[in-house]
CSV table of all heavy atoms in Angstrom, one decimal:
chain,number,residue,atom,x,y,z
M,1,MET,N,13.3,-42.2,6.5
M,1,MET,CA,14.2,-42.6,7.6
M,1,MET,C,15.6,-42.9,7.0
M,1,MET,O,15.7,-43.5,5.9
M,1,MET,CB,13.7,-43.9,8.2
M,1,MET,CG,12.3,-43.8,8.9
M,1,MET,SD,12.3,-42.7,10.3
M,1,MET,CE,13.1,-43.7,11.5
M,2,SER,N,16.6,-42.4,7.7
M,2,SER,CA,17.9,-42.5,7.1
M,2,SER,C,18.5,-43.8,7.6
M,2,SER,O,18.2,-44.3,8.6
M,2,SER,CB,18.8,-41.3,7.6
M,2,SER,OG,18.9,-41.4,9.0
M,3,ARG,N,19.4,-44.3,6.8
M,3,ARG,CA,20.2,-45.5,7.1
M,3,ARG,C,21.4,-45.1,7.8
M,3,ARG,O,22.5,-45.1,7.2
M,3,ARG,CB,20.4,-46.3,5.8
M,3,ARG,CG,19.2,-46.9,5.2
M,3,ARG,CD,19.6,-47.8,4.0
M,3,ARG,NE,20.5,-48.8,4.3
M,3,ARG,CZ,20.2,-50.0,4.8
M,3,ARG,NH1,19.0,-50.3,5.0
M,3,ARG,NH2,21.2,-50.9,5.1
M,4,LYS,N,21.3,-44.7,9.0
M,4,LYS,CA,22.4,-44.2,9.8
M,4,LYS,C,22.4,-44.8,11.2
M,4,LYS,O,21.3,-44.9,11.8
M,4,LYS,CB,22.4,-42.7,9.9
M,4,LYS,CG,23.6,-42.1,10.6
M,4,LYS,CD,23.6,-40.6,10.5
M,4,LYS,CE,24.2,-40.3,9.1
M,4,LYS,NZ,24.5,-38.9,9.0
M,5,CYS,N,23.6,-45.2,11.7
M,5,CYS,CA,23.6,-45.8,13.0
M,5,CYS,C,23.4,-44.8,14.1
M,5,CYS,O,24.0,-43.7,14.0
M,5,CYS,CB,25.0,-46.5,13.2
M,5,CYS,SG,25.3,-47.2,14.9
M,6,GLU,N,22.5,-45.1,15.1
M,6,GLU,CA,22.2,-44.1,16.1
M,6,GLU,C,23.3,-44.0,17.2
M,6,GLU,O,23.4,-43.1,17.9
M,6,GLU,CB,20.9,-44.5,16.8
M,6,GLU,CG,19.7,-44.4,15.9
M,6,GLU,CD,18.4,-44.7,16.6
M,6,GLU,OE1,18.4,-44.7,17.8
M,6,GLU,OE2,17.4,-45.0,15.9
M,7,ILE,N,24.3,-45.0,17.2
M,7,ILE,CA,25.3,-45.0,18.2
M,7,ILE,C,26.6,-44.3,17.6
M,7,ILE,O,27.1,-43.4,18.2
M,7,ILE,CB,25.7,-46.5,18.5
M,7,ILE,CG1,24.4,-47.2,19.0
M,7,ILE,CG2,26.7,-46.5,19.6
M,7,ILE,CD1,23.7,-46.6,20.2
M,8,CYS,N,27.1,-44.7,16.5
M,8,CYS,CA,28.3,-44.2,16.0
M,8,CYS,C,28.2,-43.2,14.8
M,8,CYS,O,29.1,-42.5,14.5
M,8,CYS,CB,29.3,-45.3,15.6
M,8,CYS,SG,28.7,-46.3,14.1
M,9,GLY,N,27.0,-43.2,14.2
M,9,GLY,CA,26.8,-42.2,13.1
M,9,GLY,C,27.2,-42.8,11.7
M,9,GLY,O,27.2,-42.0,10.8
M,10,LYS,N,27.6,-44.0,11.7
M,10,LYS,CA,28.0,-44.6,10.4
M,10,LYS,C,26.8,-44.6,9.4
M,10,LYS,O,25.7,-45.0,9.8
M,10,LYS,CB,28.5,-46.0,10.6
M,10,LYS,CG,29.0,-46.6,9.3
M,10,LYS,CD,29.4,-48.1,9.5
M,10,LYS,CE,30.6,-48.1,10.3
M,10,LYS,NZ,31.1,-49.5,10.4
M,11,GLY,N,27.0,-44.2,8.2
M,11,GLY,CA,25.9,-44.2,7.2
M,11,GLY,C,26.3,-44.6,5.8
M,11,GLY,O,27.3,-45.3,5.7
M,12,GLN,N,25.7,-44.0,4.9
M,12,GLN,CA,25.9,-44.3,3.5
M,12,GLN,C,27.1,-43.6,3.0
M,12,GLN,O,27.4,-42.4,3.4
M,12,GLN,CB,24.7,-43.9,2.7
M,12,GLN,CG,24.7,-44.3,1.3
M,12,GLN,CD,23.4,-43.9,0.6
M,12,GLN,OE1,22.9,-42.8,0.8
M,12,GLN,NE2,22.9,-44.7,-0.3
M,13,VAL,N,27.9,-44.3,2.2
M,13,VAL,CA,29.1,-43.7,1.6
M,13,VAL,C,29.0,-43.8,0.1
M,13,VAL,O,28.5,-44.8,-0.4
M,13,VAL,CB,30.4,-44.4,2.1
M,13,VAL,CG1,31.6,-43.8,1.4
M,13,VAL,CG2,30.5,-44.3,3.6
M,14,SER,N,29.4,-42.7,-0.7
M,14,SER,CA,29.3,-42.8,-2.1
M,14,SER,C,30.6,-42.7,-2.7
M,14,SER,O,31.6,-42.3,-2.1
M,14,SER,CB,28.4,-41.6,-2.6
M,14,SER,OG,29.0,-40.4,-2.3
M,15,GLY,N,30.7,-43.2,-4.0
M,15,GLY,CA,31.9,-43.2,-4.7
M,15,GLY,C,31.7,-43.6,-6.1
M,15,GLY,O,30.6,-43.4,-6.7
M,16,ASN,N,32.7,-44.1,-6.8
M,16,ASN,CA,32.6,-44.5,-8.2
M,16,ASN,C,32.7,-46.0,-8.4
M,16,ASN,O,33.6,-46.6,-7.7
M,16,ASN,CB,33.7,-43.8,-9.0
M,16,ASN,CG,33.5,-42.3,-9.2
M,16,ASN,OD1,32.4,-41.9,-9.5
M,16,ASN,ND2,34.5,-41.6,-9.0
M,17,LYS,N,31.9,-46.5,-9.3
M,17,LYS,CA,32.1,-47.9,-9.7
M,17,LYS,C,33.0,-47.8,-11.0
M,17,LYS,O,32.7,-47.0,-11.9
M,17,LYS,CB,30.7,-48.5,-10.1
M,17,LYS,CG,30.8,-49.9,-10.6
M,17,LYS,CD,29.4,-50.6,-10.7
M,17,LYS,CE,28.5,-49.8,-11.5
M,17,LYS,NZ,27.2,-50.5,-11.7
M,18,VAL,N,34.0,-48.5,-11.0
M,18,VAL,CA,35.0,-48.4,-12.1
M,18,VAL,C,35.0,-49.7,-12.8
M,18,VAL,O,35.3,-50.8,-12.2
M,18,VAL,CB,36.4,-48.1,-11.5
M,18,VAL,CG1,37.4,-48.0,-12.7
M,18,VAL,CG2,36.4,-46.9,-10.7
M,19,SER,N,34.7,-49.7,-14.1
M,19,SER,CA,34.6,-50.9,-14.9
M,19,SER,C,36.0,-51.3,-15.4
M,19,SER,O,37.0,-50.6,-15.2
M,19,SER,CB,33.6,-50.7,-16.1
M,19,SER,OG,34.2,-49.7,-17.0
M,20,HIS,N,36.0,-52.4,-16.1
M,20,HIS,CA,37.3,-52.8,-16.7
M,20,HIS,C,37.9,-51.8,-17.7
M,20,HIS,O,39.1,-51.6,-17.8
M,20,HIS,CB,37.1,-54.2,-17.4
M,20,HIS,CG,38.4,-54.7,-18.0
M,20,HIS,ND1,39.4,-55.2,-17.2
M,20,HIS,CD2,38.7,-54.9,-19.3
M,20,HIS,CE1,40.4,-55.6,-18.1
M,20,HIS,NE2,40.0,-55.4,-19.3
M,21,SER,N,37.0,-51.1,-18.4
M,21,SER,CA,37.5,-50.1,-19.3
M,21,SER,C,37.7,-48.7,-18.6
M,21,SER,O,37.9,-47.7,-19.3
M,21,SER,CB,36.5,-49.9,-20.5
M,21,SER,OG,35.2,-49.5,-19.9
M,22,MET,N,37.7,-48.7,-17.3
M,22,MET,CA,37.9,-47.5,-16.5
M,22,MET,C,36.8,-46.4,-16.6
M,22,MET,O,37.1,-45.3,-16.4
M,22,MET,CB,39.3,-46.9,-16.8
M,22,MET,CG,40.5,-47.8,-16.5
M,22,MET,SD,40.5,-48.3,-14.7
M,22,MET,CE,41.0,-46.8,-13.9
M,23,ARG,N,35.6,-46.8,-17.0
M,23,ARG,CA,34.5,-45.9,-17.0
M,23,ARG,C,34.1,-45.7,-15.5
M,23,ARG,O,33.9,-46.7,-14.8
M,23,ARG,CB,33.3,-46.4,-17.8
M,23,ARG,CG,33.6,-46.3,-19.3
M,23,ARG,CD,32.5,-46.9,-20.1
M,23,ARG,NE,31.3,-46.1,-19.9
M,23,ARG,CZ,30.8,-45.2,-20.7
M,23,ARG,NH1,31.4,-45.0,-21.9
M,23,ARG,NH2,29.7,-44.6,-20.4
M,24,HIS,N,33.7,-44.5,-15.2
M,24,HIS,CA,33.3,-44.2,-13.8
M,24,HIS,C,31.8,-43.9,-13.8
M,24,HIS,O,31.4,-42.9,-14.5
M,24,HIS,CB,34.1,-43.0,-13.2
M,24,HIS,CG,35.6,-43.3,-13.0
M,24,HIS,ND1,36.5,-43.6,-14.0
M,24,HIS,CD2,36.3,-43.4,-11.8
M,24,HIS,CE1,37.6,-43.9,-13.5
M,24,HIS,NE2,37.5,-43.8,-12.1
M,25,THR,N,31.1,-44.6,-13.0
M,25,THR,CA,29.7,-44.3,-12.7
M,25,THR,C,29.5,-44.3,-11.2
M,25,THR,O,30.2,-45.0,-10.4
M,25,THR,CB,28.8,-45.3,-13.3
M,25,THR,OG1,29.1,-46.6,-12.9
M,25,THR,CG2,28.8,-45.2,-14.9
M,26,ARG,N,28.6,-43.4,-10.7
M,26,ARG,CA,28.4,-43.2,-9.3
M,26,ARG,C,27.7,-44.5,-8.7
M,26,ARG,O,26.8,-45.0,-9.3
M,26,ARG,CB,27.6,-42.0,-9.0
M,26,ARG,CG,28.2,-40.7,-9.5
M,26,ARG,CD,29.5,-40.4,-8.9
M,26,ARG,NE,29.3,-39.9,-7.5
M,26,ARG,CZ,30.3,-39.6,-6.7
M,26,ARG,NH1,31.6,-39.8,-7.1
M,26,ARG,NH2,30.1,-39.2,-5.5
M,27,ARG,N,28.1,-44.8,-7.5
M,27,ARG,CA,27.4,-45.9,-6.8
M,27,ARG,C,27.5,-45.5,-5.3
M,27,ARG,O,28.1,-44.5,-4.9
M,27,ARG,CB,28.1,-47.2,-7.0
M,27,ARG,CG,29.5,-47.3,-6.6
M,27,ARG,CD,30.0,-48.7,-6.3
M,27,ARG,NE,29.3,-49.3,-5.2
M,27,ARG,CZ,29.5,-50.5,-4.7
M,27,ARG,NH1,30.4,-51.3,-5.3
M,27,ARG,NH2,28.8,-51.0,-3.7
M,28,LYS,N,26.9,-46.4,-4.5
M,28,LYS,CA,26.8,-46.1,-3.0
M,28,LYS,C,27.0,-47.4,-2.3
M,28,LYS,O,26.7,-48.5,-2.7
M,28,LYS,CB,25.5,-45.4,-2.6
M,28,LYS,CG,24.3,-46.2,-3.0
M,28,LYS,CD,23.1,-45.4,-2.7
M,28,LYS,CE,21.8,-46.1,-3.3
M,28,LYS,NZ,20.6,-45.3,-3.2
M,29,TRP,N,27.6,-47.3,-1.1
M,29,TRP,CA,27.8,-48.4,-0.2
M,29,TRP,C,26.9,-48.1,1.0
M,29,TRP,O,27.1,-47.1,1.7
M,29,TRP,CB,29.3,-48.5,0.3
M,29,TRP,CG,30.2,-49.0,-0.8
M,29,TRP,CD1,30.5,-50.3,-1.0
M,29,TRP,CD2,30.9,-48.3,-1.8
M,29,TRP,NE1,31.4,-50.4,-2.1
M,29,TRP,CE2,31.6,-49.1,-2.6
M,29,TRP,CE3,30.9,-46.9,-2.0
M,29,TRP,CZ2,32.4,-48.7,-3.6
M,29,TRP,CZ3,31.7,-46.5,-3.1
M,29,TRP,CH2,32.5,-47.4,-3.8
M,30,ASN,N,26.1,-49.0,1.4
M,30,ASN,CA,25.2,-48.9,2.6
M,30,ASN,C,25.9,-49.6,3.7
M,30,ASN,O,26.4,-50.7,3.6
M,30,ASN,CB,23.8,-49.5,2.3
M,30,ASN,CG,23.0,-48.7,1.4
M,30,ASN,OD1,23.1,-47.4,1.4
M,30,ASN,ND2,22.2,-49.3,0.5
M,31,ALA,N,25.8,-48.9,4.9
M,31,ALA,CA,26.3,-49.6,6.1
M,31,ALA,C,25.3,-50.7,6.5
M,31,ALA,O,24.1,-50.6,6.2
M,31,ALA,CB,26.3,-48.6,7.2
M,32,ASN,N,25.8,-51.7,7.2
M,32,ASN,CA,24.9,-52.8,7.6
M,32,ASN,C,24.1,-52.4,8.9
M,32,ASN,O,24.6,-52.6,10.0
M,32,ASN,CB,25.8,-54.0,7.9
M,32,ASN,CG,25.0,-55.3,8.0
M,32,ASN,OD1,23.8,-55.3,7.9
M,32,ASN,ND2,25.7,-56.4,8.2
M,33,ILE,N,23.0,-51.8,8.6
M,33,ILE,CA,22.1,-51.3,9.7
M,33,ILE,C,21.0,-52.2,10.0
M,33,ILE,O,20.3,-52.7,9.1
M,33,ILE,CB,21.5,-49.9,9.3
M,33,ILE,CG1,22.6,-48.9,8.9
M,33,ILE,CG2,20.7,-49.3,10.4
M,33,ILE,CD1,23.6,-48.5,10.0
M,34,GLN,N,20.8,-52.6,11.3
M,34,GLN,CA,19.8,-53.5,11.7
M,34,GLN,C,18.9,-52.8,12.7
M,34,GLN,O,19.3,-51.9,13.5
M,34,GLN,CB,20.4,-54.7,12.4
M,34,GLN,CG,21.5,-55.4,11.6
M,34,GLN,CD,20.9,-56.1,10.4
M,34,GLN,OE1,19.8,-56.7,10.5
M,34,GLN,NE2,21.6,-56.1,9.3
M,35,ASN,N,17.6,-53.1,12.6
M,35,ASN,CA,16.6,-52.6,13.6
M,35,ASN,C,16.6,-53.6,14.8
M,35,ASN,O,16.1,-54.7,14.6
M,35,ASN,CB,15.2,-52.5,13.0
M,35,ASN,CG,15.1,-51.3,12.0
M,35,ASN,OD1,15.7,-50.3,12.2
M,35,ASN,ND2,14.5,-51.6,10.8
M,36,ILE,N,17.0,-53.1,15.9
M,36,ILE,CA,17.0,-54.0,17.1
M,36,ILE,C,16.4,-53.3,18.3
M,36,ILE,O,16.2,-52.1,18.3
M,36,ILE,CB,18.5,-54.4,17.4
M,36,ILE,CG1,19.3,-53.2,17.9
M,36,ILE,CG2,19.1,-55.2,16.3
M,36,ILE,CD1,20.6,-53.6,18.5
M,37,ARG,N,16.1,-54.1,19.3
M,37,ARG,CA,15.5,-53.6,20.5
M,37,ARG,C,16.7,-53.4,21.5
M,37,ARG,O,17.4,-54.4,21.7
M,37,ARG,CB,14.5,-54.5,21.1
M,37,ARG,CG,13.2,-54.6,20.2
M,37,ARG,CD,12.3,-55.6,20.7
M,37,ARG,NE,11.7,-55.3,22.0
M,37,ARG,CZ,11.6,-56.1,23.0
M,37,ARG,NH1,12.0,-57.4,22.9
M,37,ARG,NH2,11.1,-55.7,24.2
M,38,ILE,N,16.9,-52.2,22.1
M,38,ILE,CA,18.0,-51.9,23.0
M,38,ILE,C,17.4,-51.5,24.3
M,38,ILE,O,16.3,-51.0,24.4
M,38,ILE,CB,18.9,-50.9,22.4
M,38,ILE,CG1,18.2,-49.5,22.2
M,38,ILE,CG2,19.5,-51.3,21.1
M,38,ILE,CD1,19.2,-48.4,21.9
M,39,VAL,N,18.2,-51.7,25.3
M,39,VAL,CA,17.9,-51.2,26.7
M,39,VAL,C,18.7,-49.9,26.9
M,39,VAL,O,19.9,-49.9,26.8
M,39,VAL,CB,18.2,-52.3,27.8
M,39,VAL,CG1,17.9,-51.7,29.1
M,39,VAL,CG2,17.5,-53.5,27.5
M,40,GLU,N,18.0,-48.8,27.2
M,40,GLU,CA,18.7,-47.6,27.5
M,40,GLU,C,19.2,-47.5,28.9
M,40,GLU,O,19.0,-48.5,29.7
M,40,GLU,CB,17.8,-46.4,27.2
M,40,GLU,CG,17.4,-46.3,25.8
M,40,GLU,CD,16.5,-45.1,25.5
M,40,GLU,OE1,15.8,-44.6,26.4
M,40,GLU,OE2,16.5,-44.6,24.3
M,41,GLU,N,19.9,-46.5,29.3
M,41,GLU,CA,20.5,-46.3,30.6
M,41,GLU,C,19.5,-46.3,31.7
M,41,GLU,O,19.7,-46.8,32.8
M,41,GLU,CB,21.3,-45.1,30.7
M,41,GLU,CG,22.6,-45.1,29.9
M,41,GLU,CD,22.4,-44.8,28.4
M,41,GLU,OE1,21.3,-44.2,28.1
M,41,GLU,OE2,23.2,-45.2,27.6
M,42,ASN,N,18.3,-45.7,31.5
M,42,ASN,CA,17.2,-45.7,32.5
M,42,ASN,C,16.4,-46.9,32.6
M,42,ASN,O,15.4,-47.0,33.3
M,42,ASN,CB,16.4,-44.4,32.3
M,42,ASN,CG,15.7,-44.4,30.9
M,42,ASN,OD1,15.9,-45.3,30.1
M,42,ASN,ND2,15.1,-43.3,30.6
M,43,GLY,N,16.7,-47.9,31.7
M,43,GLY,CA,16.0,-49.2,31.8
M,43,GLY,C,14.9,-49.4,30.8
M,43,GLY,O,14.2,-50.4,30.8
M,44,THR,N,14.6,-48.3,30.0
M,44,THR,CA,13.5,-48.5,29.1
M,44,THR,C,14.0,-49.2,27.8
M,44,THR,O,15.2,-49.2,27.5
M,44,THR,CB,13.0,-47.1,28.7
M,44,THR,OG1,14.0,-46.3,28.1
M,44,THR,CG2,12.4,-46.3,29.8
M,45,VAL,N,13.1,-49.9,27.2
M,45,VAL,CA,13.4,-50.6,26.0
M,45,VAL,C,12.8,-49.9,24.8
M,45,VAL,O,11.6,-49.5,24.8
M,45,VAL,CB,12.8,-52.1,26.1
M,45,VAL,CG1,13.0,-52.8,24.8
M,45,VAL,CG2,13.4,-52.8,27.2
M,46,ARG,N,13.6,-49.7,23.7
M,46,ARG,CA,13.1,-49.1,22.5
M,46,ARG,C,13.8,-49.7,21.3
M,46,ARG,O,14.8,-50.4,21.4
M,46,ARG,CB,13.4,-47.6,22.6
M,46,ARG,CG,14.8,-47.2,22.5
M,46,ARG,CD,14.9,-45.7,22.4
M,46,ARG,NE,16.3,-45.3,22.2
M,46,ARG,CZ,16.9,-45.0,21.0
M,46,ARG,NH1,16.2,-45.1,19.9
M,46,ARG,NH2,18.1,-44.7,21.0
M,47,ARG,N,13.2,-49.4,20.1
M,47,ARG,CA,13.9,-49.9,18.9
M,47,ARG,C,14.8,-48.8,18.4
M,47,ARG,O,14.6,-47.6,18.5
M,47,ARG,CB,12.8,-50.1,17.8
M,47,ARG,CG,11.9,-51.3,18.1
M,47,ARG,CD,11.2,-51.7,16.9
M,47,ARG,NE,10.4,-52.9,17.1
M,47,ARG,CZ,10.9,-54.1,17.0
M,47,ARG,NH1,12.1,-54.3,16.5
M,47,ARG,NH2,10.1,-55.2,17.2
M,48,ALA,N,15.9,-49.3,17.8
M,48,ALA,CA,17.0,-48.4,17.3
M,48,ALA,C,17.6,-49.0,16.1
M,48,ALA,O,17.6,-50.2,15.9
M,48,ALA,CB,18.0,-48.1,18.4
M,49,LYS,N,18.1,-48.1,15.2
M,49,LYS,CA,18.9,-48.6,14.1
M,49,LYS,C,20.4,-48.5,14.4
M,49,LYS,O,20.9,-47.5,14.7
M,49,LYS,CB,18.6,-47.6,12.9
M,49,LYS,CG,17.2,-47.7,12.4
M,49,LYS,CD,17.0,-46.9,11.2
M,49,LYS,CE,15.6,-47.0,10.8
M,49,LYS,NZ,15.4,-46.9,9.3
M,50,VAL,N,21.0,-49.7,14.5
M,50,VAL,CA,22.3,-49.9,14.9
M,50,VAL,C,23.1,-50.7,13.9
M,50,VAL,O,22.6,-51.6,13.4
M,50,VAL,CB,22.4,-50.6,16.3
M,50,VAL,CG1,23.8,-50.7,16.8
M,50,VAL,CG2,21.5,-49.8,17.3
M,51,CYS,N,24.4,-50.3,13.7
M,51,CYS,CA,25.2,-51.0,12.7
M,51,CYS,C,25.7,-52.3,13.4
M,51,CYS,O,25.8,-52.4,14.7
M,51,CYS,CB,26.4,-50.2,12.2
M,51,CYS,SG,27.6,-49.7,13.4
M,52,THR,N,26.1,-53.2,12.7
M,52,THR,CA,26.6,-54.5,13.2
M,52,THR,C,27.9,-54.4,13.9
M,52,THR,O,28.2,-55.2,14.8
M,52,THR,CB,26.7,-55.6,12.1
M,52,THR,OG1,27.5,-55.1,11.0
M,52,THR,CG2,25.3,-55.9,11.6
M,53,ASN,N,28.7,-53.4,13.6
M,53,ASN,CA,30.0,-53.2,14.3
M,53,ASN,C,29.7,-52.8,15.7
M,53,ASN,O,30.4,-53.2,16.7
M,53,ASN,CB,30.9,-52.2,13.6
M,53,ASN,CG,31.5,-52.7,12.3
M,53,ASN,OD1,31.5,-53.9,12.1
M,53,ASN,ND2,31.9,-51.9,11.5
M,54,CYS,N,28.7,-51.9,16.0
M,54,CYS,CA,28.4,-51.5,17.3
M,54,CYS,C,27.8,-52.7,18.1
M,54,CYS,O,28.0,-52.8,19.3
M,54,CYS,CB,27.4,-50.3,17.3
M,54,CYS,SG,28.2,-48.8,16.7
M,55,MET,N,27.0,-53.5,17.4
M,55,MET,CA,26.4,-54.7,18.1
M,55,MET,C,27.5,-55.6,18.5
M,55,MET,O,27.5,-56.2,19.6
M,55,MET,CB,25.4,-55.3,17.2
M,55,MET,CG,24.1,-54.5,17.0
M,55,MET,SD,23.1,-55.1,15.6
M,55,MET,CE,23.1,-56.9,15.8
M,56,LYS,N,28.5,-55.9,17.6
M,56,LYS,CA,29.5,-56.8,17.9
M,56,LYS,C,30.5,-56.3,19.0
M,56,LYS,O,30.9,-57.1,19.8
M,56,LYS,CB,30.3,-57.1,16.6
M,56,LYS,CG,31.3,-58.2,16.7
M,56,LYS,CD,31.9,-58.4,15.3
M,56,LYS,CE,33.0,-59.5,15.4
M,56,LYS,NZ,33.6,-59.8,14.1
M,57,SER,N,30.7,-55.0,19.0
M,57,SER,CA,31.7,-54.5,20.0
M,57,SER,C,31.1,-54.3,21.4
M,57,SER,O,31.8,-54.0,22.3
M,57,SER,CB,32.3,-53.2,19.5
M,57,SER,OG,31.3,-52.2,19.4
M,58,GLY,N,29.8,-54.5,21.5
M,58,GLY,CA,29.1,-54.3,22.8
M,58,GLY,C,28.8,-52.9,23.2
M,58,GLY,O,28.7,-52.6,24.4
M,59,LYS,N,28.7,-52.0,22.3
M,59,LYS,CA,28.3,-50.6,22.6
M,59,LYS,C,26.9,-50.5,22.9
M,59,LYS,O,26.5,-49.4,23.5
M,59,LYS,CB,28.7,-49.7,21.4
M,59,LYS,CG,30.2,-49.6,21.1
M,59,LYS,CD,30.5,-48.7,20.0
M,59,LYS,CE,31.9,-48.6,19.7
M,59,LYS,NZ,32.2,-47.7,18.6
M,60,VAL,N,26.0,-51.5,22.7
M,60,VAL,CA,24.6,-51.4,23.0
M,60,VAL,C,24.2,-52.6,23.8
M,60,VAL,O,24.8,-53.7,23.7
M,60,VAL,CB,23.7,-51.3,21.7
M,60,VAL,CG1,23.9,-50.0,21.0
M,60,VAL,CG2,24.0,-52.5,20.8
M,61,ASN,N,23.2,-52.5,24.7
M,61,ASN,CA,22.7,-53.6,25.4
M,61,ASN,C,21.4,-54.0,24.7
M,61,ASN,O,20.4,-53.2,24.7
M,61,ASN,CB,22.4,-53.2,26.9
M,61,ASN,CG,23.7,-52.9,27.6
M,61,ASN,OD1,24.7,-53.6,27.4
M,61,ASN,ND2,23.6,-52.0,28.5
M,62,ARG,N,21.4,-55.2,24.2
M,62,ARG,CA,20.2,-55.7,23.5
M,62,ARG,C,19.2,-56.2,24.5
M,62,ARG,O,19.5,-56.8,25.5
M,62,ARG,CB,20.6,-56.9,22.6
M,62,ARG,CG,21.5,-56.4,21.5
M,62,ARG,CD,21.6,-57.4,20.4
M,62,ARG,NE,20.3,-57.6,19.7
M,62,ARG,CZ,20.1,-58.2,18.6
M,62,ARG,NH1,21.2,-58.8,18.0
M,62,ARG,NH2,19.0,-58.3,18.0
M,63,ALA,N,17.9,-55.9,24.2
M,63,ALA,CA,16.8,-56.4,25.0
M,63,ALA,C,16.4,-57.8,24.6
M,63,ALA,O,16.5,-58.2,23.4
M,63,ALA,CB,15.6,-55.5,24.8
M,64,ILE,N,16.0,-58.6,25.6
M,64,ILE,CA,15.7,-60.0,25.3
M,64,ILE,C,14.2,-60.1,25.1
M,64,ILE,O,13.4,-59.4,25.6
M,64,ILE,CB,16.1,-60.9,26.5
M,64,ILE,CG1,17.6,-60.8,26.6
M,64,ILE,CG2,15.6,-62.3,26.3
M,64,ILE,CD1,18.2,-61.5,27.8
């Protein structure tokens, strides 16, 4: 299963970790993905992987 938001598509980003001596090693940044229950347009409830920015901005309707 991928760590990707089902709403906006935000996922993992890769880059370099740079030490004090300027050595570059590869690292990754994971998006803050949460498994939550959402209500779809037709009223059904299902689980989805959603980033916290989409939850905060109100792009999804959470199920109670």
Side-chain angles (χ1 to χ4, degrees):
M1 299 295 286
S2 64
R3 292 184 53 88
K4 186 171 279 194
C5 177
E6 295 182 16
I7 306 301
C8 66
K10 181 187 288 187
Q12 188 179 39
V13 178
S14 63
N16 286 317
K17 178 169 56 174
V18 182
S19 68
H20 179 69
S21 63
M22 298 302 288
R23 289 179 60 101
H24 290 66
T25 54
R26 299 300 283 180
R27 64 157 293 182
K28 58 189 173 185
W29 288 268
N30 289 322
N32 192 358
I33 305 294
Q34 305 292 322
N35 290 316
I36 64 168
R37 294 173 66 224
I38 63 171
V39 179
E40 293 183 336
E41 290 80 20
N42 57 5
T44 60
V45 176
R46 69 176 184 94
R47 289 196 177 270
K49 295 186 179 208
V50 180
C51 69
T52 53
N53 286 341
C54 289
M55 290 168 42
K56 187 176 180 180
S57 65
K59 292 183 181 178
V60 294
N61 292 326
R62 295 194 67 169
I64 296 174

